[in-house]
């Protein structure tokens, strides 16, 4: 059997296993080990099975993942998200659609503490949905803004997805975090603009809330002081060279847990719940990563990624057209596949193509994250939509998806802008860390 | 009987995950201590790197089987309605059984790897921490994960039981 044929059969087997609901990590492990057994030797496959699980979990750089997840979990408990929402509300809540805009802004602020979009959507949903209900917001705008705002969690640093992308592509986590900052800001502005456009087109969708006096607004701004302080220490510490990324994550987890203790929200039960949530997320991520480490050597043995990149490089098609096709495929894949797994599965194939076309891998990582975000709110399996459904059980799923559509289009605009102006992503890392 | 066993297993795996959580909390404290040692005590703590690596293996080992029994491992569930039909139960059994075989092999091989490592006294470079206990932990974790998959396979065969939807 030629390596290419083995590779194609491997992909076919992988898709079949995924379609019949085998966990993605396990499917990659099964196909990867079988492929190595065929293309190399059964002994090599057995050796990998014996050593990979330990070798790829006992990795220093990966410790940043559970530590940042823990920071987000304690931030959820500590009420920092609610504080951020109050601040945003006091500044924009009196405008038409202001409460939904405040939700987006608070999500962006919370995203700076949490690398998970699910945590952001769940935390902000619990805080902002009752308020929007009180002011008779249309369920579409209310739920759509929460689901979309939550996705900012994986773009604005720290981001679990960007960390894994960095590890898969051997790029610097610090550069990727910096690269995510301006696109995160851009997407926040686009989301807020979307809210206001929806509110103008349908005045009943987002009635204005109460106007908060300036003195009170400043007070609420101080109320968000803890969140701003932690973000400054964590992100500032990384770029000032005070901490490594892992250290910043540990300090962030320490500070958010102290704040949760100080605000008397951290009971023993909540402490263990936060730990349990973190361990579950960590295990989920690592199982996919361990599976990917079986699949990657198999893929390398098939030589498909290299041959595909060479073939595409020789095509007389403009690079931008190929990039558009790749983005389109990602958008389609994102509608039925979990974003994280999709990234782990496709990066080994797509990245050589991107590099051959002469694009920057850091910039592509940011585009990929925005496209993954689109998947997070796309039917039929948009994860954030189900999180919002959990917070707002009375709103039918169809209504939520309709509410999301304008935000999904805003993400499309964001991707287009990033393709047209790569500097949006690359300006900060190139300026602060050099090319 | 299967349900009772699953409930008991869930409790045990939850405890294990909590233990992993405490190791993670300890890791956060260790890293913060490292920063303090470097900046405030002027004596950098050199073993942190190795301790972090080994702690990571424990954290992952403690979490994997619990996440499995909670159906927290990511899978694609667009065909769930079709696959949850009673007529599909043999297919579901086969998939869980295949998973159990792969993970069972991984557990067995990992155990062998840990035994070999124990045989020649594998230790970390700087602090000379023995690695085999951590390798055994990973092997045991894979073994527990295999038990969860066997349980799922047996449950899939029950004609009247609805298969729980995957969490993700």
């Amino acid at each position: 059997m030629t390596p290419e044929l083995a590779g194609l059969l491997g992909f076919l087997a992988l898709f079949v296993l995924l379609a019949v609901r085998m966990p993605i990590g396990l499917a990659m492990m099964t196909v990867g080990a079988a492929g190595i057994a065929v293309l190399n030797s059964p002994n090599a496959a057995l050796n990998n099975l014996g050593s990979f699980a330990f070798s790829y979990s006992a990795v220093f750089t990966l410790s940043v993942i559970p530590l940042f997840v823990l920071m987000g979990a304690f931030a959820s408990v500590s009420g920092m998200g609610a504080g951020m929402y109050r601040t945003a509300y006091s500044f924009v809540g009196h405008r038409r659609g202001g409460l939904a805009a405040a939700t987006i802004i608070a999500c962006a602020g919370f995203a700076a503490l949490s690398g998970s979009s699910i945590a952001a959507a769940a935390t902000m949903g619990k805080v902002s949905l009752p308020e929007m209900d009180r002011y008779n917001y249309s369920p579409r705008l209310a739920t759509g803004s929460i689901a979309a705002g939550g996705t900012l969690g994986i773009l604005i640093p720290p981001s679990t997805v960007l960390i894994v992308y960095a590890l898969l592509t051997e790029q610097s986590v610090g550069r990727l975090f910096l690269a995510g900052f301006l696109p995160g800001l851009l997407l926040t502005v686009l989301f807020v603009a979307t809210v206001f456009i929806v509110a103008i087109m349908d005045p009943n969708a987002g009635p204005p809330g109460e106007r908060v006096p300036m003195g009170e607004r400043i007070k609420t701004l101080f109320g968000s002081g803890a969140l701003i302080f932690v973000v400054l220490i964590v992100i500032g510490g990384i770029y000032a060279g005070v901490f490594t990324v892992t250290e910043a994550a540990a300090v962030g987890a320490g500070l958010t847990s102290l704040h949760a203790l100080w605000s008397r929200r951290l009971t023993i039960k909540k402490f263990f719940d936060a730990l349990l949530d973190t361990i579950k997320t960590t295990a989920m991520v690592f199982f996919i990563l361990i599976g990917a480490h079986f699949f990657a050597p198999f893929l390398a043995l098939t030589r498909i990624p290299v041959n595909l990149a060479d073939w595409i490089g020789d095509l007389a098609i403009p690079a931008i057209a190929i990039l558009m096709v790749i983005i389109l495929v990602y958008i389609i894949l994102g509608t039925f596949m979990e974003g994280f797994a999709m990234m782990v599965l496709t990066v080994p194939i797509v990245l050589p193509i991107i590099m051959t076309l002469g694009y920057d891998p850091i910039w592509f990582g940011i585009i990929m994250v925005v496209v993954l975000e689109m998947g997070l709110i796309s039917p039929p399996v948009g994860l954030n939509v189900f999180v919002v459904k959990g917070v707002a059980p009375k709103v039918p799923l169809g209504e939520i998806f309709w509410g999301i559509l304008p935000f999904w289009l805003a993400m499309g605009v964001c991707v287009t802008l990033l393709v047209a102006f790569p500097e949006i992503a690359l300006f900060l890392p190139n300026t602060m860390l050099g090319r | 009987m299967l349900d009772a066993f699953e409930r008991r297993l869930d409790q045990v795996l939850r405890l294990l995950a909590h233990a992993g959580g405490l190791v993670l909390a300890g890791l956060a404290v260790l890293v913060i201590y490292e920063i303090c040692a470097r900046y405030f005590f002027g004596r950098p703590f050199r073993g942190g790197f190795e301790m972090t690596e080994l702690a990571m293996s424990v954290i992952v080992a403690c979490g994997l089987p619990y996440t499995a029994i909670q159906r927290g491992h990511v899978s694609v569930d667009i065909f769930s309605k079709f696959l949850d039909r009673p007529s599909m139960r043999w297919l579901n059994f086969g998939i869980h059984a295949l998973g159990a075989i792969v993970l069972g092999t991984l557990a067995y091989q990992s155990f062998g790897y840990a035994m070999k490592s124990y045989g020649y006294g594998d230790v970390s470079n700087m602090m000379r921490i023995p690695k085999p206990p951590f390798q055994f932990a990973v092997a045991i974790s894979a073994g527990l994960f295999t038990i969860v998959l066997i349980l799922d396979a047996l449950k899939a065969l029950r004609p009247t039981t609805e298969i729980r939807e995957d969490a993700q």
Side-chain angles (χ1 to χ4, degrees):
Chain A
M1 193 186 303
T2 63
E4 286 82 4
L5 181 62
L8 290 176
L9 289 176
F11 267 107
L12 189 69
L14 183 72
F15 287 129
V16 170
L17 290 178
L18 291 181
V20 292
R21 285 190 306 198
M22 182 178 267
I24 286 158
L26 192 52
M28 285 196 285
M29 191 183 287
T30 307
V31 175
I36 292 167
V38 171
L39 292 179
N40 194 338
S41 72
N43 261 346
L46 287 174
N47 282 340
N48 289 354
L49 280 169
S51 61
F52 275 16
F54 174 76
S55 309
Y56 291 113
S57 49
V59 180
F60 178 81
T61 42
L62 292 179
S63 61
V64 69
I65 295 176
L67 289 170
F68 268 133
V69 176
L70 189 64
M71 175 170 102
F74 283 137
S76 292
V77 176
S78 74
M80 283 179 174
M84 187 68 203
Y85 178 72
R86 273 195 296 276
T87 307
Y89 176 102
S90 73
F91 279 87
V92 296
H94 60 284
R95 299 182 185 280
R96 250 179 218 294
L99 272 70
T103 305
I104 302 280
I105 296 167
C107 278
F110 188 74
L113 278 184
S114 164
S116 149
S117 59
I118 298 167
T123 308
M124 298 320 300
K126 278 178 216 152
V127 178
S128 64
L129 205 64
E131 281 298 301
M132 288 196 266
D133 250 0
R134 198 157 69 92
Y135 283 94
N136 287 325
Y137 264 56
S138 84
R140 282 187 186 183
L141 181 59
T143 52
S145 61
I146 297 165
T151 64
L152 292 167
I154 57 167
L155 181 59
I156 295 176
S159 152
T160 330
V161 175
L162 281 178
I163 294 167
V164 173
Y165 179 84
L167 293 166
L168 290 174
T169 57
E170 293 176 357
Q171 299 296 318
S172 139
V173 177
R175 277 190 101 83
L176 273 161
F177 276 8
L178 266 185
F181 187 74
L182 284 183
L185 218 56
L186 170 71
L187 195 55
T188 309
V189 171
L190 285 172
F191 279 166
V192 171
T194 306
V195 168
F196 287 137
I197 290 169
V198 170
I200 288 168
M201 286 171 70
D202 178 7
N204 293 327
E210 284 163 36
R211 180 181 278 277
V212 178
M214 191 47 89
E216 198 66 29
R217 290 184 192 180
I218 303 295
K219 235 180 175 176
T220 60
L221 194 61
F222 278 111
S224 288
L227 183 142
I228 296 165
F229 175 74
V230 177
V231 171
L232 281 179
I233 293 279
V234 171
I235 304 294
I238 296 173
Y239 295 111
V242 181
F243 311 130
T244 62
V245 180
T246 307
E247 289 171 349
V251 168
L255 287 175
T256 47
S257 66
L258 282 180
H259 183 263
L261 259 179
W262 181 69
S263 59
R264 297 189 178 179
R265 288 191 174 93
L266 189 65
T267 57
I268 297 272
K269 186 183 176 308
K270 283 189 175 164
F271 174 74
F272 277 104
D273 284 350
L275 288 183
L276 205 60
D277 271 354
T278 307
I279 289 294
K280 255 179 83 173
T281 308
T282 305
M284 182 266 278
V285 171
F286 272 75
F287 192 49
I288 294 176
L289 284 179
I290 292 169
H293 280 293
F294 280 92
F295 197 66
F298 162 58
L299 216 53
L301 285 171
T302 65
R303 297 192 51 77
I304 286 179
V306 182
N307 292 345
L308 196 64
D310 287 348
W311 178 69
I312 289 178
D314 292 342
L315 285 179
I317 300 172
I320 188 80
I322 298 167
L323 179 74
M324 285 301 153
V325 171
I326 291 174
I327 291 174
L328 195 69
V329 169
Y330 269 119
I331 291 174
I332 295 167
L333 274 178
T335 58
F336 62 86
M337 219 169 156
E338 207 273 336
F340 200 77
M342 181 169 87
M343 185 177 79
V344 173
L345 262 178
T346 56
V347 156
I349 298 171
V350 173
L351 200 75
I353 298 173
I354 290 296
M355 306 280 270
T356 309
L357 295 176
Y359 290 117
D360 190 304
I362 298 266
W363 165 81
F364 182 71
I366 301 303
I367 292 209
M368 182 180 256
V369 169
V370 180
V371 177
L372 295 194
E373 286 180 318
M374 292 172 87
L376 273 171
I377 55 172
S378 299
V381 290
L383 215 55
N384 267 26
V385 180
F386 293 107
V387 174
V388 173
K389 173 78 182 157
V391 184
K394 283 184 211 152
V395 184
L397 215 52
E399 281 283 289
I400 303 179
F401 278 123
W402 274 113
I404 277 164
L405 186 64
F407 297 100
W408 195 86
L409 294 175
M411 286 171 158
V413 172
C414 184
V415 172
T416 312
L417 287 173
L418 278 168
V419 172
F421 308 104
E423 283 303 307
I424 299 171
L426 297 176
F427 174 72
L428 279 183
N430 286 348
T431 312
M432 289 178 72
L433 303 173
R435 279 172 196 274
Chain B
M1 199 182 108
L2 270 183
D3 289 330
F5 179 69
E6 187 182 18
R7 271 197 301 277
R8 189 55 62 88
L9 186 63
D10 187 279
Q11 284 168 352
V12 172
L13 297 183
R14 179 184 288 261
L15 271 179
L16 198 64
H18 274 136
L22 287 176
V23 174
L24 176 62
L27 177 63
V29 173
L30 171 78
V31 177
I32 292 169
Y33 169 75
E34 268 188 277
I35 301 167
C36 294
R38 190 170 69 230
Y39 284 112
F40 304 125
F41 312 140
R43 283 178 57 182
F45 177 64
R46 294 188 194 281
F49 183 88
E50 287 175 356
M51 286 173 76
T52 304
E53 280 196 336
L54 295 174
M56 279 310 298
S57 67
V58 177
I59 290 164
V60 175
C62 288
L64 278 178
Y66 176 67
T67 310
I69 205 163
Q70 291 284 313
R71 276 75 188 169
H73 288 299
V74 180
S75 58
V76 180
D77 52 6
I78 41 172
F79 300 118
S80 281
K81 274 187 186 157
F82 173 71
L83 291 166
D84 281 344
R85 288 179 188 169
S87 54
M88 288 289 127
R89 64 179 196 266
W90 280 102
L91 179 67
N92 288 315
F93 168 80
I95 289 304
H96 290 304
L98 175 64
I101 291 168
V102 174
L103 263 179
T105 312
L106 185 140
Y108 179 77
Q109 289 294 121
S110 298
F111 193 80
Y113 176 72
M115 283 299 282
K116 217 184 276 176
S117 180
Y118 176 73
Y120 61 79
D122 193 10
V123 290
S124 66
N125 290 333
M126 200 173 284
M127 294 193 79
R128 320 297 294 164
I129 303 170
K131 283 186 183 175
F134 302 94
Q135 292 159 341
F136 279 121
V138 171
I140 292 167
S141 163
L144 289 168
F145 197 157
T146 309
I147 294 173
V148 174
L149 287 169
I150 293 171
L151 201 64
D152 281 343
L154 294 175
K155 281 175 66 186
L157 276 184
R158 293 195 303 198
T160 50
T161 308
E162 278 182 31
I163 298 153
R164 270 196 273 167
E165 272 188 31
D166 290 315
Q168 301 282 329

